[in-house]
Amino acid sequence: MTLWGGAFSEPTDDDLRALNDSFRYDRRMAQQDINGSMAYALAMAGAGVLTRDEAETLVGGLTQVAEEFDSGTFAVKPDDEDVHTAVERRLGEIVGDVAGKLHTGRSRNDQVATDFRLWVMDAIDSLTGKLRAVQAALVEQAEQHTETLMAGWTHVQPAQPITVAHWLLSMFWPLERDIDRLRDARRRCAVSPLGSGALAGTPYALDREELAKALGFSGISQNSLDAVSDRDFTVEFLSCVALVGVHLSRLGEDLVLFSNPAFGYVTLADRYSTGSSLMPQKRNADSMELTRGTAGRLIGYWVGLMTTLKGLPTGYNKDLQEDKEAVFAGFDSLSLVLPVAAAVVRTLTIHPDKLRAALVPEMLATDLAEYLVKRGLPFRQAHHVAGRAVRLARERSIPFDQIPLADLQALSPLIAEDVAQVFDYAASAASRAADGGTAPDAVRRQLEQARHALTQ
Amino acid sequence: MTLWGGAFSEPTDDDLRALNDSFRYDRRMAQQDINGSMAYALAMAGAGVLTRDEAETLVGGLTQVAEEFDSGTFAVKPDDEDVHTAVERRLGEIVGDVAGKLHTGRSRNDQVATDFRLWVMDAIDSLTGKLRAVQAALVEQAEQHTETLMAGWTHVQPAQPITVAHWLLSMFWPLERDIDRLRDARRRCAVSPLGSGALAGTPYALDREELAKALGFSGISQNSLDAVSDRDFTVEFLSCVALVGVHLSRLGEDLVLFSNPAFGYVTLADRYSTGSSLMPQKRNADSMELTRGTAGRLIGYWVGLMTTLKGLPTGYNKDLQEDKEAVFAGFDSLSLVLPVAAAVVRTLTIHPDKLRAALVPEMLATDLAEYLVKRGLPFRQAHHVAGRAVRLARERSIPFDQIPLADLQALSPLIAEDVAQVFDYAASAASRAADGGTAPDAVRRQLEQARHALTQ
Amino acid sequence: MTLWGGAFSEPTDDDLRALNDSFRYDRRMAQQDINGSMAYALAMAGAGVLTRDEAETLVGGLTQVAEEFDSGTFAVKPDDEDVHTAVERRLGEIVGDVAGKLHTGRSRNDQVATDFRLWVMDAIDSLTGKLRAVQAALVEQAEQHTETLMAGWTHVQPAQPITVAHWLLSMFWPLERDIDRLRDARRRCAVSPLGSGALAGTPYALDREELAKALGFSGISQNSLDAVSDRDFTVEFLSCVALVGVHLSRLGEDLVLFSNPAFGYVTLADRYSTGSSLMPQKRNADSMELTRGTAGRLIGYWVGLMTTLKGLPTGYNKDLQEDKEAVFAGFDSLSLVLPVAAAVVRTLTIHPDKLRAALVPEMLATDLAEYLVKRGLPFRQAHHVAGRAVRLARERSIPFDQIPLADLQALSPLIAEDVAQVFDYAASAASRAADGGTAPDAVRRQLEQARHALTQ
Amino acid sequence: MTLWGGAFSEPTDDDLRALNDSFRYDRRMAQQDINGSMAYALAMAGAGVLTRDEAETLVGGLTQVAEEFDSGTFAVKPDDEDVHTAVERRLGEIVGDVAGKLHTGRSRNDQVATDFRLWVMDAIDSLTGKLRAVQAALVEQAEQHTETLMAGWTHVQPAQPITVAHWLLSMFWPLERDIDRLRDARRRCAVSPLGSGALAGTPYALDREELAKALGFSGISQNSLDAVSDRDFTVEFLSCVALVGVHLSRLGEDLVLFSNPAFGYVTLADRYSTGSSLMPQKRNADSMELTRGTAGRLIGYWVGLMTTLKGLPTGYNKDLQEDKEAVFAGFDSLSLVLPVAAAVVRTLTIHPDKLRAALVPEMLATDLAEYLVKRGLPFRQAHHVAGRAVRLARERSIPFDQIPLADLQALSPLIAEDVAQVFDYAASAASRAADGGTAPDAVRRQLEQARHALTQ
């Protein structure tokens, strides 16, 4: 039996049931739904609408329903169109008519908003933990490589020597911002809509603040009409999730590329690689390709939800039911990808020799310009001189650090024998020691900041 | 056992398996996979790579595997990472070592592209049928209402009187274009990649054209590297699907609005309406709200896939595995919504009295302008005169058709007593009789075109 | 002259220039670029890299460049590929060779990130002001209508009587959340990347913290490689902007619908309406249709940017240049729409009589159920009784409040003569007096909260 | 003067004008608008609504307006809210009152749909030409490299030897499909809405078919209400455009990667590369990064438009005005990128030595398996043997082609001395000679197909 059939003359068509019924996916909110109902029953007793006994009976029955969900023994009935109906139906079987008092003053509109907010709050906590694991893996690897050098890129071209730890930590901070964003999203999510009824509020003397606190919310919604149709918390959750996806896509792209033998910078553990059904030698970074590819669907979930929300008129509209599958799918995707990403990073073999071999003297052209700046040449001219030196080396097919001194001096009389000191990768990296720079000293300070963040 | 473990020293991690394995969703391509393998075995016999006996053994074994899938008795093993592996594994159990010959010269890269194209071709056929059913329902309703008048809208404001059939058929033609687009998409999908191997083509003298024909393709791919990474057919499918979604969202919006009692133009059948858990009187057009809302997720699927494809380098990349869930979900969503849309239209009660009651004389202001045009006034001036008449009526709070003749004549001396003929809704509609117009005569011709389209 | 041609043998092709050059749009960051350069010059003097005199000369020259931009006299040269190049080029014309010292240790990578963050911080301040104006207009209207009744909707169906102020304020709180989100986005944006160089950090003893403070940032980036490629702040800005768009689309949809004569709830001011080139009587809520439609492009900007970011490898990549047009366009769209939305709300005429006329007795069915609850019937049974009453009224075509008492009592013996008190719209609304409810008293408290928010 | 002010009491507010007016961007449809008006005037003369003289006067005046737009002398007036208003206003100045007859029976709703369809048809023709140029450049390069070998990738890992021409042509066919899709889109776009009026059709005896033909359409719309609100042609155009963008992003990604010195496969011409303001040695493939990044915005335009369309009710709604900027921007973006892509390919230097150097013996492991297949081993076992050989070589750190024969024979007794023939990259590639394969012979056939396509 549905919760609403009194005024209807024929049952819902099966086609519509297939489209409309949400129990197959919203059953994962069973715990939140039951917790919400327990707190509501007690609050309604506080408001004098239920007796203390009735409330306790309801809480007892709900406890049993919760156990059935937990243990997997909950028996679904064909008319269980959603988790709310299923729980109330089962509660009635257990406690009898008093179950019919639970929904007093409540609508599925405020009920589902309450359940879903609680679920998203839990989801944020869960994802935060998984993000922390990826960060911890990055820190762990970085600690081993504060002095290891590699070619830093811009435009996928060798740019300047950097430390491997610096590269690894460049993926730590985006995740830190993600966690910060999720924290803000959680704060805005932790607002209780319970007591909003279908749209107009409750006629009972419910202490909404106390009820909210009991459920773990930090405050209550200010407008019941807004409260039942507000899905900002799902949008914000999915926008955070999508951006995590984009950050992971960078990690994926880097590791996929760095695994190519032309670089050979890293090797993924065998158990995070896969092979080919045709080519016996293949060793693919599938794990990182899937990590890279997940961003697409995560972006798609946000778009789908936003588009569904666009143009809806005032009040709850059934279109809002589309929110759940998108949020669940976003959470599930990220929950699958994050542990793989953490494990890949943690078990990654980094090859300092290959990284070193990719350093080329031209990457020190900036250092040559800086050498000239120290000798008084304005940077813009120094840049030009160094650029001409690069061209000279290329035209003669000699390494940039092997240009005869006389030729360099022909480009600028400021160049002296001590120019040789410029051609030192480690010194170049070590020189960038201001906060946030790639110098080992700066990176060690950065690591401290990172470790501190992990404890937050 | 996976198809590729020879060079590996440790098994795949469970976390990666959870992310990587696709059997849970790609099993729905089992039939296409098995058909592809049967045709491939025969073609490889034709190429002299297998003996005729071997090919027949393989086909026999595959027939049994197909039956197991059909009957639901197929037993999954933990190592069945995808449908291709599962089928080959089971085939081996049935026919023994010869099963190991099936994959000769083939890669999962061309195999999955083949399977998936066959699946999408079937999906297009299925959706076309379901779209035809919605169109048929629209035609059926329209046939009842070629003379029924209603207020045609622009900007959600009453604009001119139109016939209800005209409104209904305005939703027929978008679906006709959708079917046309799907037909084009199917044509481009019907190109066989089989024989492309992993990327480089096949070293066997396979008759790719004949193999393609045997599977229902109309041609073969021209470049093996393109063939294994081309997902245009999925993108095109999803773009068609998304646009169907947008068209349905208009139907949904119209029927949701027209069900509001302020209009009361239509009533949805009880079995396509639902109620409220709190408000006993509610009768919601949930079916149409869900129809409207589905557009969001369909748009999201296209976006997700496109974003995943963006920036991928040459060759097959594992990111492409993201294609399947998006396409399946798009197909499933539309397959759920279309029958509901068809049934809602078919069972819709239209209320001619309410529609008629919404006609207001101002909607004939254009006809007044046309009256003046017939008497020689340039349209732009006629429009201005009619506009001033509207203003006059509003300022005096009288209906537009009750303005005293003298007042009208003060606005333009061209207005005579016969202006009364202007104020006739039916005549107004009947006058728009050119092809595509709202006049009952034109609509009957339009209906013929629509019925003809249904037979295509 | 570009800033980088030294090592090149031929000039950039015109086709690439057309694609690559960004001055046509990034010139709007001129002020931020110049401020950034002034602060940088002083900081480099502090670091001992420039003399105090040099820094002052640069600041003086930059002041003049700023004035030229302000007054519209800045003369663009063909080689001004971006605002940074243009400013440095012009500075050189004014102050001579010392201009070449400004870029010491700086790259366009950290420079553009700095400029853009400053610009976005300003943009957030500007949008916040415009959002506040919409909120103020909503509050102003709401204050006039705390007692005015209207039909609250769910599923676009009349649900329960609510107050007009409650409906208006239901659009206040989403904007309040938007402002809160923008505030968080601004906080994360206010992190200075200056001193990150191209990717590796700066070799000069720059006090990055002090430099950041001088520019209005609240802190500095922790990793130079991340700092030059981080575009989270643009993504977060656009996600906030898109959600504002979705909120405005609800306002747009409501007012477009409520302007339809079937409702007639509101009239937009003439100066915020438009007409038709063909139909003289038309009076369209174009302003609100455009407000509704803008959400699409705003969502599109976020998608475009996210998709561009997806899969980029480590370091600055030129693809990031795509960030600016999206952010500028998002800001501009919202800057156009918000003042219109504010003005439309402020100048809106609300028609209490039409709103009242739309109230129908069925909307009190919930109150009937609540009446039964008060007499001890469990809500679920009370809901069913009220539902049967609704059906009875419909079958007999009598208003819900005109069902003979005897018939009601046949449905439930708990119903007594005092049931008449149920059929009072104002009493129904007034009963929902808990926080966040629609009762005039609760709405007055809500208004206080809203007014308080406006002062934040 | 607007075209519609008669019934209004106050002028449009400036804020709304800024949001509403479209002349700044729709002026680029001036030619289509004028052509449409000329044809309409003649058709209205044919219908007897205008005299022949009036029609000729209008055509003459419109010719002058067109010249003014062409020569840049068209003088805009403040009230020119859109191109249609501007043209009609100017026409009136030139020909006097008869200008007011042009709009008889026409609405801006059918007029703008006509103009825009004509514009999109032209845009498709233009883009097709630009796509052909990219294809021609690919063919031109491919012709030089039918025998040049390179490492074909899957999963960004060396997979099998392929020919460079094969790789280049793998980017030809996606563009061929794009052209095919655009052709279909053009066909569906070439349907004339003219004569649909505002929504209800025209009351004049217009020969819509003849009018359509005169304008270059191939048929007419069947339903006037659909015709004025149908924006499928813009959606389909943008979906084609977005997919071109994704295809170009692959070209971009490949060339960006292949330009990295670790590969060094290709060098972009200096005039299609750029440098760094800080690092003198940099030589960045900016042109290809921007090509890769453009996909994002193109996807965003489609999303924006689809989202705007979603949920709109029946009839023309002003939200549809959002269609133009998206379509124009999509066209402009691609028009900028395609010539750059063509030129980069055409001027690309390919380095056969570097490509050759990246070939590694392991890439022949599949050939070893095929060798065993020829000797009767089922492929699955052959794959396993070859996989173990790969592992052996890796464990001993010897090249795959240097495994002692005895060791190979220990893995499979089927291996004989002639196994040496397996280790030949050119022979491996040449063996994949079936249609669509990478063998030089097959590629030459493919090139013929490609050249044939270019002539279509």
Side-chain angles (χ1 to χ4, degrees), chain B residues 299-334:
Chain B
I299 290 171
Y301 295 141
W302 181 91
V303 170
L305 185 54
M306 285 290 272
T307 302
T308 294
L309 293 176
K310 176 253 158 184
L312 291 186
T314 192
Y316 177 86
N317 296 284
K318 187 71 171 191
D319 319 52
L320 297 180
Q321 180 162 309
E322 289 286 302
D323 59 0
K324 249 151 264 94
E325 284 178 286
V327 165
F328 292 162
F331 172 78
D332 290 344
S333 298
L334 218 44

Side-chain angles (χ1 to χ4, degrees), chain C residues 71-373:
Chain C
S71 61
T73 60
F74 184 87
V76 193
K77 294 278 172 71
D79 270 342
D80 290 348
E81 60 180 4
D82 55 27
V83 68
H84 325 295
T85 303
V87 168
E88 187 174 329
R89 188 262 311 155
R90 181 68 189 124
L91 179 64
E93 292 167 4
I94 297 170
V95 302
D97 274 2
V98 68
K101 298 199 168 186
L102 177 61
H103 211 60
T104 313
R106 196 171 64 166
S107 159
R108 277 185 297 185
N109 294 358
D110 58 343
Q111 187 178 0
V112 71
T114 301
D115 296 358
F116 202 15
R117 282 175 179 268
L118 291 171
W119 192 93
V120 168
M121 287 154 68
D122 289 346
I124 288 174
D125 295 342
S126 167
L127 291 180
T128 300
K130 290 185 165 68
L131 285 162
R132 284 280 181 240
V134 181
Q135 287 184 308
L138 289 163
V139 163
E140 204 178 301
Q141 280 283 4
E143 283 166 341
Q144 310 307 311
H145 294 287
T146 50
E147 311 266 349
T148 315
L149 293 180
M150 68 183 287
W153 288 358
T154 65
H155 306 263
V156 187
Q157 294 292 328
Q160 293 185 310
I162 61 170
T163 50
V164 169
H166 198 55
W167 163 66
L168 287 163
L169 291 175
S170 77
M171 281 168 301
F172 177 97
W173 300 106
L175 302 181
E176 187 62 25
R177 291 190 295 273
D178 289 327
I179 289 172
D180 197 40
R181 266 183 289 272
L182 283 167
R183 190 181 294 126
D184 287 342
R186 192 188 194 287
R187 177 169 48 79
R188 271 183 287 272
C189 186
V191 172
S192 172
L194 202 51
S196 296
L199 74 154
T202 179
Y204 303 104
L206 205 58
D207 186 333
R208 292 188 59 216
E209 288 279 3
E210 194 180 285
L211 173 55
K213 293 291 183 320
L215 282 166
F217 290 110
S218 59
I220 62 166
S221 57
Q222 300 295 326
N223 180 298
S224 58
L225 186 55
D226 172 39
V228 295
S229 53
D230 168 24
R231 288 301 181 271
D232 286 11
F233 66 100
T234 62
V235 166
E236 198 170 347
F237 175 74
L238 284 178
S239 72
C240 292
V241 160
L243 193 44
V244 173
V246 167
H247 293 148
L248 292 177
S249 80
R250 170 161 300 193
L251 174 67
E253 176 81 355
D254 275 13
L255 293 188
V256 166
L257 295 182
F258 289 2
S259 302
N260 179 291
F263 299 113
Y265 297 166
V266 300
T267 306
L268 269 67
D270 261 22
R271 67 180 188 275
Y272 290 105
S273 305
T274 61
S276 157
S277 67
L278 176 65
M279 299 171 291
Q281 89 284 7
K282 287 306 295 294
R283 204 165 181 303
N284 301 324
D286 281 49
S287 52
M288 285 295 101
E289 294 174 279
L290 291 168
T291 297
R292 179 177 63 189
T294 299
R297 66 165 69 204
L298 297 178
I299 290 171
Y301 296 140
W302 182 91
V303 170
L305 185 55
M306 285 290 273
T307 302
T308 294
L309 293 177
K310 176 254 160 183
L312 292 187
T314 190
Y316 178 86
N317 297 283
K318 187 72 172 189
D319 319 51
L320 297 180
Q321 180 162 309
E322 289 286 301
D323 57 0
K324 249 152 264 95
E325 285 178 285
V327 165
F328 292 161
F331 172 77
D332 290 344
S333 298
L334 218 44
S335 297
L336 277 176
V337 164
L338 286 171
V340 170
V344 165
V345 170
R346 206 175 47 238
T347 61
L348 196 67
T349 304
I350 292 175
H351 302 292
D353 52 331
K354 294 289 186 87
L355 288 159
R356 180 83 191 203
L359 298 174
V360 287
E362 276 192 5
M363 296 169 63
L364 300 168
T366 308
D367 301 80
L368 177 60
E370 288 162 0
Y371 168 93
L372 289 162
V373 163

